[in-house]
Amino acid sequence: MVRYSIEIGQKEQDILKEIVLASDKNVKKRKFATGLSSVMAVIMLIYTILCFMNSRIGYGIIGLLFSVFFIWIIINGANTFQKKVINIVHSKMDNKLTSGKREYCFDTDGVAVSSDIGNGTNHWNAFKCWGIFRNYIYIRTIKNEMVLVNQNDLSENDVKELKSLLSQNLKEETL
């Protein structure tokens, strides 16, 4: 059995956002947006050149603006856009759900959670995977919520025991 307490503050919230951004699902979305934007940028640049060659200045300017937009998406816009969406969703959540003290007890049955808003036990089948991000161990629920554990706050034996429990009950995700 491993016991762990954490005060979820801005640092932990930022780590959780980074984990969400690094997930396979979001990486695939960014790759798709970048690929599509690459094709659209070429099409819009050709369109812009043709408009200017045919003295359609207004359409050419619109084409140029779209070209710049697609190039921005290629460079880093997809990542920027996803970060903005995550920040908006996070800002709309109740502060009680995104901050405060949490106490976790990991054992063979699952994870017992105690916080300011309640207590409960999540059996291992309530989780889908676990992983390591920087010095944190995260455990992802089937609802895509996360348990966050700073390995620096645990003893070496507790880290080994926790990783053993997680490996026995969940698949490991790599980011």
Side-chain angles (χ1 to χ4, degrees), residues 33-34 36-49 51-52 57-75:
T34 301
L36 181 61
S37 293
S38 298
V39 171
M40 291 304 297
V42 170
I43 291 170
M44 291 311 296
L45 285 171
I46 293 169
Y47 172 81
T48 300
I49 291 167
C51 286
F52 282 127
I57 306 300
Y59 290 119
I61 291 171
I62 290 171
L64 186 60
L65 291 173
F66 273 108
S67 297
V68 169
F69 171 75
F70 289 124
I71 291 168
W72 175 76
I73 294 288
I74 294 165
I75 292 170

Side-chain angles (χ1 to χ4, degrees), residues 71-130:
I71 291 168
W72 175 76
I73 294 288
I74 294 165
I75 292 170
N76 201 25
N79 193 34
T80 302
F81 183 75
Q82 273 191 337
K83 281 182 182 177
K84 185 71 173 168
V85 168
I86 288 169
N87 285 332
I88 289 169
V89 168
H90 185 76
S91 71
K92 295 189 181 295
M93 294 176 73
D94 190 323
N95 196 36
K96 292 177 189 172
L97 298 174
T98 60
S99 63
K101 189 171 178 83
R102 306 281 193 280
E103 293 182 14
Y104 301 107
C105 181
F106 304 92
D107 63 23
T108 55
D109 293 331
V111 182
V113 182
S114 178
S115 71
D116 296 337
I117 59 173
N119 303 315
T121 299
N122 294 309
H123 297 282
W124 288 115
N125 61 2
F127 299 94
K128 66 175 157 185
C129 62
W130 72 282

Side-chain angles (χ1 to χ4, degrees), residues 30 62 99 152-153:
R30 286 195 303 274
I62 290 171
S99 63
N152 297 337
D153 294 342

